[in-house]
């Protein structure tokens, strides 16, 4: 009885959310839409990193590199090849999958901190490589590449606001994001997800159970890189500019912050993580003009005290407390279904 | 030949700097099993404190040792107050706290001391040591100071009761507690020592690279690489790793690949070495029971 | 009927032609009102280029001075300066925030070539002035294609060329070594230098090395340059690395003819920091008066600047020539706004910016700010000076248009 009512509310809630998402761009100014676009793009990137670090326990301090590669693939194809922006996405995914898979090989041998260093090294090397003179004619070298923002294909207006470039991009990015989240959801809720977590928590036992560790770990790296690469390509289109200075080590660190703040091993956590990394620097700037990053740092530390399992973990706990009387059967609620694939990596060990 | 020798010595001098940062990282790792990303910024902040004291008129060595004491206390306090709540939390939570500390120190240093570069005096001016065209007195002094620090640290850990307690607490916290060691305080001391070592590193580096809030960010990476190359749990490894990284970087830039790609190539080499020797050159392989 | 209509039309036309300038109605674009002018700025207050944030702070202090003295034509300046950390993606976001949310009249003195490149197209599409950008890249002086963007300082290519010409004139058999920062600023200087040397570039340049802004030191590169046998050195580094380079050159006993780029020639923060004796003989180009130079110490202009610093920017470093830069570029904007009067449309702002002809007090004698509809390079003149251990001694004549 309870479950059917809950189901109905779920669907109604979902529908309302969908309508809000669809109408949102016309209710706010273009600049806000641009910010929403960046949030969605970061959500995809953070989700990618979460697959690797949250679910599979392989720490990566270098996902900014994959974001950069995806961005440059898109930029180069658009500038030199005249490709339309949407066609660059699959290729960005493919190229980044390739690089990610290759990263999987040293990752197999390196654990924990050593892998962190290797990925950190990747994050540092990529901007230098992008500036390299020999490939300057492709990458634009230190000057970068200026891109043309795509025009909306149709004329449309709602609430007096026209369908601008940013609003059109919003729908494109929203669709891509929903697609990527769906893919991740299907992957992680099933056997693959369980295998990943098994590898994270008890690698030897997992291998003993027949999970092919090297293949899985490399594939995970590849998939994770592909997700972030797609985000990078979308980012290049949304900002309409790429240059080596946009992809420093700090970007990689920012993604990691997004993963942890949003919640390890959580798909919807990626959204909270993205909202954090997009907006909190602005909030910090409002609070203190002279030392905004100090405020950001304080935010980070306080958040880690208050919600060490991330925003998703906090929300799941809160929902869990509400659901306690009812939930004998888990009717597909993310709170209870997420329990086996929990966000508590074996305490202290990487 | 002369140029080659010169590059090697210059690399050793830089290596001394990386080695000191690596030593601080290893220190914290040995006591807490965490890599402290905020190490560089803490060292930079300590150096600013020393600078400020010297601006106020204090003589060099007074400021030097006072800074070390203040940094020790600071490190201890940070561990006891800020890190204690997340002691039991997952590794990544701790990493985020370190990142938070990193940005806080960097931002506050910029706010209090501003971003213009400042010259920092050296206690080893021209002529105080053997020096040649290949290396300045300060560079020799840096290496000597660093070896001193290493010796002091080694003797402390090996031959004193507290050092023993620290090592026990790091290796096996449960058993250590059972014999009455106050593990939490050992962690705090570990942090204090690392902060002090970092302060020394900062004060040795600043005369060469000039003092500003971003002084350590480039060095931290090399220190990180050096620590891991030598084996994250081995102080001697950290020092040797530092020298190797310094010389390697110089030689690559001058003779192999040119300065435009030397960072990338150096890192590739380090990663490759780690792939072949996953615990670093001198690290111990950790064997766990299944 | 027709004649009456014609008469009225003619009268109307005459009135418009004659009465237009005389009536001078107030015209405003977003950001300008009777009481205030909103100006946006983006600077790297954090990140690897944070030293340049000092310019933004000096500008802010100068606007405070203007406001305290009654504003410009009775309007107070509201300066909103945001941080982009030298990350072009963030620059885009902050620029959009300033233009679309804060609705500023114009963007002023945005710093860095990549950040400005990132917003170049956007600003021109939106028709918002991107005025007096803080970079010497040559791209900003292109009124035909980008009529809303204008630089301010002498462009790097022209300066590099001047050094090359000086070498050709004074030391035609020089063996040149170059150290450059591996980014747009380095490449721009290099291009000008190579253009100046022409065909002789290939034979004269014996070594060219780069460094990243994230490198701890340039010691290795300096050793390499000495080893190459170069006897002339073109130093394209930012202040911190310039100080390191000068210091190291002295330490390893390398004494080339040393040309230092104008971004890093501050006497206090670079030359003295490196060791005043170490830099004797270094040549650089100047367009601003160095605040630590005793030859200006008694001049009225210096005293005015000093008074400004002490009253409105007490935490600013008196040895840092970024504070002279900020002071002078802010005065240039002040001049533009004064000239615009009550017609504060963006179009008129650009028009006034393209009709400048004056000399801000802290510019070197003989160097001025001059623009025209086809000349979007406000400052083009420089003069060379040589460091003598205590100060920069100007020599030769003022070069440039």
């Amino acid at each position: 009885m309870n479950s059917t009512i809950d189901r109905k509310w779920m669907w109604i809630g979902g529908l309302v959310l969908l309508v809000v998402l669809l109408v949102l761009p016309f209710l706010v100014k273009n600049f806000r839409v641009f910010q929403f676009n960046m949030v969605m793009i970061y959500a995809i990137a953070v989700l990618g990193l979460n697959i690797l670090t949250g679910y599979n326990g392989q720490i990566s301090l270098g996902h900014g590199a994959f974001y950069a590669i995806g961005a440059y693939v898109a930029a180069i194809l658009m500038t030199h090849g005249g490709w339309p922006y949407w066609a660059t996405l699959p290729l960005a995914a493919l190229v980044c999958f390739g690089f990610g898979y290759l990263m999987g090989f040293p990752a197999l041998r390196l654990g924990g901190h050593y892998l962190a260093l290797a990925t950190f090294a990747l994050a540092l090397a990529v901007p230098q490589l992008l500036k390299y003179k020999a490939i300057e004619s492709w990458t634009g070298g230190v000057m970068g590449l200026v891109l043309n923002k795509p025009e909306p294909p149709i004329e449309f207006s709602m609430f007096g606001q026209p369908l601008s470039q940013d609003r059109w991009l919003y729908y494109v990015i929203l669709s891509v994001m929903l697609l990527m989240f769906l893919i991740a959801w299907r992957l992680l809720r099933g056997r693959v997800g369980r295998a990943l977590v098994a590898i994270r928590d008890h690698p030897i036992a997992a291998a003993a159970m027949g999970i092919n560790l090297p293949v899985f770990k490399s594939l995970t790296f590849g998939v994770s890189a592909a997700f972030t690469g797609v985000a990078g390509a979308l980012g290049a289109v949304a900002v309409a500019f790429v240059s080596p200075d946009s992809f420093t080590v700090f970007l990689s660190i920012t993604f990691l912050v997004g993963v942890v703040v949003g919640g390890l091993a959580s798909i919807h956590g990626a959204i909270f993580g993205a909202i954090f990394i997009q907006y909190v620097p602005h909030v910090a700037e409002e609070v203190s003009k002279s030392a905004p990053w100090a405020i950001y740092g304080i935010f980070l530390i306080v958040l880690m005290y208050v919600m060490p399992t991330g925003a998703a973990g906090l929300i799941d706990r809160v929902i869990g407390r509400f659901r306690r009387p009812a939930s004998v059967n888990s009717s597909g609620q993310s709170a209870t279904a997420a329990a086996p694939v929990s966000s508590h990596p074996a305490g202290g060990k990487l | 030949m002369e140029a080659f020798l010169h590059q090697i010595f210059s690399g050793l001098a830089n290596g001394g700097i990386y080695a000191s940062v690596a030593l601080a990282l290893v220190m914290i790792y040995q006591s807490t099993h965490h890599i402290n990303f905020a190490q560089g910024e803490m060292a930079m902040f300590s150096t600013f404190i020393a600078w400020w004291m010297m601006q106020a008129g204090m003589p060099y060595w007074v400021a030097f040792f006072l800074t070390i004491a203040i940094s020790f206390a600071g490190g201890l306090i940070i561990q006891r107050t800020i890190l204690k709540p997340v002691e039991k939390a997952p590794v990544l939570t701790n990493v985020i706290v370190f990142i938070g500390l990193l940005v806080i120190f960097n931002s506050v240093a910029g706010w209090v001391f501003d971003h213009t570069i400042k010259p920092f005096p050296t206690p080893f001016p021209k002529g105080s040591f053997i020096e040649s065209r290949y290396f300045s007195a300060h560079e020799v002094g840096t290496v000597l100071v660093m070896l001193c620090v290493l010796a002091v640290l080694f003797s402390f850990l090996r031959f004193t009761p507290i050092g023993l307690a620290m090592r026990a607490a790091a290796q096996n916290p449960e058993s250590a507690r059972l014999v009455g060691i106050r593990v939490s305080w050992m962690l705090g001391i570990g942090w204090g020592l690392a902060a002090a070592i970092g302060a020394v590193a900062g004060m040795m580096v600043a005369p060469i690279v000039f003092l500003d809030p971003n002084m350590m960010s480039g060095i931290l990476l090399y220190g990180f690489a050096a620590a891991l190359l030598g084996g994250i749990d081995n102080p001697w490894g950290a020092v040797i790793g530092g020298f190797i990284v310094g010389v390697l970087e110089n030689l690559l830039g001058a003779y192999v690949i040119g300065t435009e790609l030397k960072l990338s190539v150096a890192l590739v080499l380090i990663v490759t070495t780690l792939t072949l020797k996953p615990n670093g050159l001198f690290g111990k392989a950790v064997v766990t029971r299944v | 009927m027709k004649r009456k209509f014609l008469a009225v039309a003619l009268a109307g036309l005459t009135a418009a032609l004659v009465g237009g300038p005389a009536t001078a109605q107030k015209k405003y674009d977003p950001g300008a009102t009777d009481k205030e002018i909103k100006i946006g700025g983006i600077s790297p207050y954090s990140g690897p280029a944070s030293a340049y944030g000092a310019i933004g702070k000096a500008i802010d202090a100068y606007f405070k001075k203007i406001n305290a003295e009654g504003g410009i034509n009775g309007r107070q300046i509201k300066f909103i300066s945001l941080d982009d950390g030298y990350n072009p993606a963030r620059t885009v976001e902050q620029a959009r925030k300033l233009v679309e949310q804060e609705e500023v009249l114009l963007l002023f003195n945005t710093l860095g070539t990549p950040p400005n490149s990132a917003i170049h197209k956007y600003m021109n599409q939106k028709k918002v002035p991107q005025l007096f950008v803080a970079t010497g890249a040559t791209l900003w002086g292109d009124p035909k294609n980008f009529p809303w963007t204008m630089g301010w300082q002498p462009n790097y290519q022209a300066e590099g060329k001047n050094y090359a010409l000086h070498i050709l004139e004074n030391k035609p058999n020089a063996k040149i070594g170059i150290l450059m920062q591996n980014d747009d600023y380095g490449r721009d200087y290099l291009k000008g230098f190579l253009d100046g040397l022409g065909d002789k570039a290939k034979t004269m340049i014996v070594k060219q090395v780069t460094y990243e802004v994230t490198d701890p030191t340039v010691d290795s590169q300096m050793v390499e340059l000495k080893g190459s046998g170069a006897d002339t050195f073109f130093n394209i580094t930012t202040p911190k690395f310039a100080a390191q380079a000068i210091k190291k050159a002295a330490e390893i006993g390398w004494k080339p003819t040393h040309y230092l780029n104008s971004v890093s020639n501050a006497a206090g923060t670079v030359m003295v920091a490196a060791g005043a004796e170490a830099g004797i003989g270094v040549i650089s180009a100047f367009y601003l008066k160095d605040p630590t130079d005793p030859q200006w110490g008694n001049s009225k202009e210096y005293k005015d600047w000093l008074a400004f610093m002490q009253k409105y920017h007490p935490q600013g470093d008196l040895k840092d020539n970024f504070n002279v830069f900020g002071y002078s570029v802010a005065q240039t904007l002040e001049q533009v706004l004064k000239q615009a009067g009550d017609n504060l449309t963006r179009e008129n702002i650009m028009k006034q910016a393209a009709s400048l002809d004056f000399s801000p007090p802290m510019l070197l004698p003989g160097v001025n700010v001059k623009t025209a509809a086809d000349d979007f390079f406000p400052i083009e003149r420089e003069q060379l000076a040589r460091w003598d251990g205590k100060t920069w001694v100007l020599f030769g004549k003022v070069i440039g248009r």
Side-chain angles (χ1 to χ4, degrees), chain C residues 254-368:
Chain C
W254 187 42
K255 289 188 180 25
T257 312
H258 187 151
Y259 290 88
L260 178 63
N261 71 98
S262 65
V263 172
S264 307
N265 58 22
T269 43
V270 175
M271 303 309 291
V272 171
E277 315 280 292
I280 294 182
V282 173
I283 300 173
S284 187
F286 286 82
Y287 57 101
L288 293 171
K289 294 181 182 146
D290 189 294
T292 61
D293 192 339
Q295 69 182 294
W296 312 121
N298 283 319
S299 63
K300 175 178 183 301
E301 295 88 11
Y302 175 78
K303 293 204 174 110
D304 285 342
W305 176 80
L306 188 64
F308 152 72
M309 288 295 289
Q310 285 166 338
K311 184 157 182 212
Y312 294 101
H313 197 32
Q315 69 272 44
D317 191 340
L318 290 175
K319 300 195 291 301
D320 190 357
N321 69 347
F322 285 158
N323 290 319
V324 177
F325 183 100
Y327 179 77
S328 306
V329 73
Q331 285 175 330
T332 313
L333 183 65
E334 184 186 11
Q335 180 68 25
V336 169
L337 292 174
K338 278 204 184 118
Q339 281 178 210
D342 281 334
N343 182 349
L344 290 169
T345 59
R346 290 169 173 153
E347 197 179 325
N348 192 33
I349 299 269
M350 285 314 293
K351 185 150 162 262
Q352 299 308 323
S355 343
L356 289 172
D357 187 359
F358 79 114
S359 295
M362 284 303 272
L363 260 54
L364 281 183
V367 177
N368 61 352

Side-chain angles (χ1 to χ4, degrees), chain B residues 144-179:
Chain B
L144 288 177
V145 165
M146 215 245 338
L147 289 174
C148 270
V149 169
L150 185 60
V152 167
L153 193 63
F154 182 71
S155 358
F156 173 76
L157 286 175
R158 251 318 188 79
F159 302 124
T160 65
I162 302 186
L164 182 61
M166 280 182 64
R167 283 187 293 139
Q171 269 184 8
N172 203 333
E174 272 73 36
S175 305
R177 261 192 206 101
L178 288 173
V179 297

Side-chain angles (χ1 to χ4, degrees), chain C residues 58-315:
Chain C
I59 293 175
D60 189 56
Y62 190 78
F63 287 147
K64 284 205 182 65
K65 170 176 182 296
I66 294 183
N67 287 343
E69 293 170 357
I72 299 184
N73 296 325
R75 294 177 184 85
Q76 297 278 295
I77 307 268
K78 185 162 181 216
F79 184 52
I80 307 173
S81 184
L82 299 177
D83 176 27
D84 69 344
Y86 209 74
N87 178 349
R90 263 200 105 199
T91 319
V92 169
E93 195 183 347
Q94 302 286 42
R96 294 195 63 166
K97 183 172 180 189
L98 288 168
V99 170
E100 296 175 40
Q101 191 178 308
E102 301 286 348
E103 294 189 329
V104 295
L105 182 62
L106 57 104
L107 275 193
F108 173 56
N109 205 236
T110 350
L111 196 136
T113 306
N116 277 299
S117 299
I119 58 175
H120 202 191
K121 228 191 225 169
Y122 170 77
M123 295 299 285
N124 281 274
Q125 272 168 356
K126 281 276 190 189
K127 300 198 169 60
V128 177
Q130 188 188 2
L131 213 45
F132 306 138
V133 297
T135 116
T138 336
L139 341 144
W140 318 121
D142 186 4
K144 244 201 249 38
N145 297 313
F146 295 101
W148 297 92
T149 310
M150 189 187 288
W152 185 74
Q153 64 204 78
N155 73 75
Y156 299 144
Q157 284 189 25
E159 187 180 325
K161 195 163 167 194
N162 282 335
Y163 295 135
L165 294 175
H166 193 258
I167 295 177
L168 286 177
E169 210 179 289
N170 294 293
K171 204 171 172 179
N173 296 318
K175 290 200 283 243
I176 307 176
I178 304 177
L179 173 63
M180 63 175 251
Q181 188 161 298
N182 189 15
D183 66 0
D184 53 277
Y185 139 87
R187 295 282 169 93
D188 231 358
Y189 266 115
L190 183 70
K191 180 161 190 307
F193 190 70
L194 294 175
D195 285 346
L197 290 178
D199 303 322
K200 304 199 74 187
K202 275 193 284 292
T203 47
M204 289 179 87
I205 298 180
V206 296
K207 196 81 177 167
Q208 186 181 318
V209 285
T210 64
Y211 72 95
E212 305 292 329
V213 81
T214 47
D215 282 351
T217 76
V218 289
D219 286 358
S220 170
Q221 285 89 337
M222 293 304 290
V223 168
E224 227 189 301
L225 284 168
K226 178 179 179 207
S228 72
D231 59 18
T232 308
F233 177 35
F234 183 25
N235 185 350
I236 316 173
T237 56
T238 44
K240 176 167 137 162
F241 299 100
Q244 286 179 12
I246 295 173
K247 188 155 169 278
K248 190 70 180 176
E251 270 173 20
I252 57 181
W254 187 42
K255 289 188 180 25
T257 312
H258 187 151
Y259 290 88
L260 178 63
N261 71 98
S262 65
V263 172
S264 307
N265 58 22
T269 43
V270 175
M271 303 309 291
V272 171
E277 315 280 292
I280 294 182
V282 173
I283 300 173
S284 187
F286 286 82
Y287 57 101
L288 293 171
K289 294 181 182 146
D290 189 294
T292 61
D293 192 339
Q295 69 182 294
W296 312 121
N298 283 319
S299 63
K300 175 178 183 301
E301 295 88 11
Y302 175 78
K303 293 204 174 110
D304 285 342
W305 176 80
L306 188 64
F308 152 72
M309 288 295 289
Q310 285 166 338
K311 184 157 182 212
Y312 294 101
H313 197 32
Q315 69 272 44

Side-chain angles (χ1 to χ4, degrees), chain B:
Chain B
M1 193 55 203
E2 185 187 310
F4 181 74
L5 272 180
H6 214 150
Q7 289 288 5
I8 299 217
F9 280 111
S10 174
L12 287 174
N14 277 357
I17 300 172
Y18 303 147
S20 3
V21 174
L23 202 55
L25 286 171
V26 166
M27 190 66 241
I28 290 202
Y29 185 82
Q30 280 205 310
S31 37
T32 64
H33 284 271
H34 285 140
I35 289 198
N36 177 16
F37 290 103
Q39 189 63 59
E41 305 307 300
M42 285 166 60
M44 174 271 294
F45 201 82
S46 305
T47 315
F48 265 113
I49 293 177
W51 175 84
W52 179 66
M53 289 198 275
M54 286 187 240
Q55 292 292 104
M58 236 184 256
Y60 182 90
W61 289 109
V62 175
F64 184 86
F65 285 108
L66 202 54
T67 303
I68 293 183
I70 295 176
S71 305
F72 180 87
L76 182 64
I77 293 173
I78 289 176
Q79 204 284 329
R80 296 273 77 209
T81 54
I82 301 181
L83 292 170
K84 191 161 187 317
V86 289
E87 235 172 60
K88 305 274 189 316
V91 173
L92 282 172
T93 309
N94 275 283
V95 170
I96 299 297
V97 173
F98 296 145
I99 292 174
L101 283 173
L102 189 162
V103 290
I104 291 177
F105 274 114
N106 188 295
S107 187
V108 172
W111 176 43
V112 175
F113 300 107
D114 90 55
H115 294 263
T116 356
I117 59 167
K118 297 168 171 41
F120 192 85
T122 166
F124 312 116
K126 273 175 116 67
S128 50
F129 273 125
I130 39 149
E131 61 172 2
S132 74
R133 286 166 313 170
Y134 295 124
F135 40 84
S136 66
H138 178 79
E139 286 163 353
V140 175
T142 303
V143 174
L144 288 177
V145 165
M146 215 245 338
L147 289 174
C148 270
V149 169
L150 185 60
V152 167
L153 193 63
F154 182 71
S155 358
F156 173 76
L157 286 175
R158 251 318 188 79
F159 302 124
T160 65
I162 302 186
L164 182 61
M166 280 182 64
R167 283 187 293 139
Q171 269 184 8
N172 203 333
E174 272 73 36
S175 305
R177 261 192 206 101
L178 288 173
V179 297
I181 295 176
R182 304 193 55 187
V183 171
S184 295
W185 278 98
M186 292 302 117
L187 294 178
I189 295 179
W191 263 75
L193 281 176
I197 299 173
V200 173
M203 290 191 281
M204 289 295 112
V205 165
I208 302 177
V209 303
F210 295 98
L211 180 58
D212 78 330
N214 295 319
M215 172 176 87
M216 295 300 269
S217 28
I219 298 174
L220 183 66
L221 160 78
Y222 287 113
F224 194 23
L228 284 167
L229 186 65
I232 191 67
D233 49 6
N234 188 333
W236 292 104
V239 172
I240 297 179
F243 286 122
I244 293 178
V245 170
V247 174
L248 187 68
E249 185 210 359
N250 274 12
L251 290 181
L252 278 176
Y255 297 108
V256 178
I257 194 69
T259 46
E260 287 189 15
L261 286 180
K262 72 171 181 179
L263 177 64
S264 320
V265 175
L267 293 171
V268 165
L269 279 179
I270 292 172
V271 171
T272 315
T273 313
L274 285 177
T275 319
L276 295 171
K277 288 211 88 194
N279 289 306
L281 292 172
F282 306 105
K284 286 192 291 286
V286 175
V287 179
T288 44
R289 280 203 121 148
V290 174

